[in-house]
């Protein structure tokens, strides 16, 4: 269905120049490139966008510039583990041109479920924009409880979507069965998109979608049209891209930037604590891209 933002959303990396400064011109160029190559919407200043290393002024310069550069929806990452700070960020999102806000569960503090619920209710009340919640326990240290999610989706009108990076399709199926009419679920793990489509997900908020957006769109369309075999074949072709995007030595932002540089998009390196991509990643990116094109061509 994807009522608000589409089916293929890309959690966009944040481009920096050679001195590590925010590169707004490149951000706008990248956003337009993504919109022309399969992304229905963009998520800015989230984890893949290196949000922890962005100053507040940089965050809103980025959101404003990209929102003006593209016609597809832009979601602003305004989450924090400090509710007061997140309230300030969330309240500013609409004025910066965002079409929605993207809220990660509080990280590091490991609050009890009552604190998580109160945090999200306060942030949703701070904006008129539609809200997507994000649960990624491996980063936050605390999973959002099923009952908390049910109450939020049923009782808070502008909480309309959920990025599920829990790695638990069975829990996603239960959530959709019990509250599906109140929200839309997006896969938060590229490799689990097809399994989550099977239980009712509407799309993906991806990282490899920086270069696989059109393939993801085709896979989602095939599945929703009942062509499960084609969807499986596309998913199989995407496996090397999933493996490339995140390794022990090169995590998502690092790998994505290496892939983009290999495609002639100078997005720079990451800011510490993410170091430059290790030797060989850049070369491997080019090979992954070539192999993907060959695999997809064989499906036509």
């Amino acid at each position: 269905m994807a009522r608000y933002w589409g089916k293929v959303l890309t959690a966009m990396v944040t481009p920096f120049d050679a001195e590590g400064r925010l590169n707004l011109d490149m951000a706008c160029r990248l956003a337009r490139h993504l919109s022309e190559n399969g992304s229905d919407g963009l998520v800015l200043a989230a984890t893949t966008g290196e949000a922890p290393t962005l100053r507040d002024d940089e965050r809103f310069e980025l959101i404003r510039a990209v929102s003006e550069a593209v016609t597809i929806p832009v979601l602003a990452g305004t989450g924090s583990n400090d509710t007061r700070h997140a309230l300030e960020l969330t309240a500013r999102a609409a004025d910066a041109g965002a079409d929605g806000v993207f809220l990660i569960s509080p990280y590091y503090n490991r609050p009890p479920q009552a604190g998580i619920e109160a945090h999200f209710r306060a942030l949703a009340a701070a904006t008129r924009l539609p809200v997507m919640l994000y649960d990624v326990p491996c980063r936050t240290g605390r999973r959002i409880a099923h009952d908390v999610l049910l109450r939020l989706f049923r009782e808070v009108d502008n909480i309309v979507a959920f990025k599920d990076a829990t790695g638990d399709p069975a829990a996603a199926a239960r959530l959709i069965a019990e509250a599906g009419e109140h929200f839309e679920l997006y896969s938060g793990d590229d490799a689990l998109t097809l399994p989550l489509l099977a239980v009712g997900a509407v799309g993906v908020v991806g990282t490899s979608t920086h270069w696989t957006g059109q393939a993801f769109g085709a896979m989602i369309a095939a599945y929703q049209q009942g062509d499960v075999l084609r969807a499986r074949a596309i998913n199989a072709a995407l496996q090397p891209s999933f493996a490339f995007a995140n390794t022990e030595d090169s995590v998502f932002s690092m790998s994505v930037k290496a892939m983009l540089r290999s495609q002639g998009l100078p997005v720079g390196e990451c800011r510490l604590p993410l170091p430059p991509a290790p030797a060989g990643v850049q070369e491997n990116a080019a090979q992954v891209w070539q192999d993907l094109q060959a695999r997809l061509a064989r499906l036509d």
Side-chain angles (χ1 to χ4, degrees):
M1 192 172 176
R3 290 169 288 186
Y4 298 95
W5 305 299
K7 298 177 181 180
V8 179
L9 309 185
T10 295
M12 195 179 94
V13 295
T14 300
F16 302 122
D17 66 18
E19 285 72 45
R21 296 172 300 205
L22 181 63
N23 188 340
L24 291 178
D25 289 342
M26 189 64 236
C28 293
R29 179 182 166 191
L30 174 59
R32 287 190 291 266
H33 170 81
L34 293 172
S35 72
E36 294 164 1
N37 287 276
S39 291
D40 300 320
L42 303 173
V43 176
L44 303 182
T47 309
T48 305
E50 299 177 71
T53 72
L54 295 177
R55 301 190 310 267
D56 288 357
D57 61 313
E58 291 178 319
R59 183 189 305 257
F60 287 105
E61 288 172 7
L62 175 68
I63 293 165
R64 186 171 291 106
V66 170
S67 295
E68 293 174 354
V70 297
T71 58
I72 60 175
V74 169
L75 281 73
T78 59
S80 171
N81 63 339
D82 173 359
T83 304
R84 289 178 300 175
H85 185 210
L87 282 168
E88 295 171 4
L89 298 176
T90 301
R92 295 174 60 185
D95 288 343
D99 300 289
V101 294
F102 181 79
L103 299 177
I104 190 170
S105 180
Y107 42 86
Y108 186 73
N109 315 49
R110 301 189 79 247
Q113 294 299 322
I116 294 173
E117 183 171 354
H119 174 86
F120 282 136
R121 286 181 181 271
L123 297 184
T127 182
R128 59 178 172 78
L129 296 174
V131 173
M132 179 183 291
L133 304 184
Y134 178 28
D135 193 10
V136 55
C138 70
R139 291 184 183 273
T140 65
R142 180 81 78 189
R143 186 166 177 174
I144 309 171
H146 176 82
D147 289 348
V148 169
L149 288 170
L150 284 181
R151 284 194 296 272
L152 291 171
F153 296 139
R154 289 172 173 171
E155 298 173 11
V156 183
D157 289 343
N158 64 330
I159 296 180
V160 299
F162 181 48
K163 178 182 176 181
D164 186 344
T166 64
D168 189 349
R174 181 185 173 206
L175 191 62
I176 291 168
E178 296 183 16
E181 68 274 20
H182 297 284
F183 81 110
E184 295 182 326
L185 187 141
Y186 286 82
S187 172
D189 181 336
D190 295 12
L192 285 181
T193 301
L194 185 55
L196 287 174
L197 289 174
V199 299
V202 300
V204 62
V205 179
T207 51
S208 71
T209 52
H210 281 83
W211 68 93
T212 63
Q214 291 176 330
F216 263 99
M219 181 180 75
I220 294 168
Y223 184 84
Q224 293 179 338
Q225 292 163 11
D227 192 348
V228 177
L229 292 180
R230 179 164 179 79
R232 286 172 53 188
I234 296 171
N235 189 59
L238 290 170
Q239 294 301 310
S241 289
F242 301 156
F244 170 80
N246 189 44
T247 68
E248 287 296 317
D249 298 319
S250 184
V251 300
F252 296 105
S253 305
M254 298 162 63
S255 300
V256 169
K257 286 188 169 184
M259 177 64 76
L260 293 172
R261 290 193 302 269
S262 76
Q263 296 182 347
L265 293 163
V267 293
E269 294 284 1
C270 297
R271 285 176 173 172
L272 287 173
L274 298 182
V281 172
Q282 194 82 42
E283 295 76 11
N284 189 25
Q287 189 62 53
V288 168
W289 172 249
Q290 291 176 12
D291 289 349
L292 176 62
Q293 299 312 298
R295 287 166 173 257
L296 293 175
R298 288 197 291 270
L299 300 180
D300 294 332

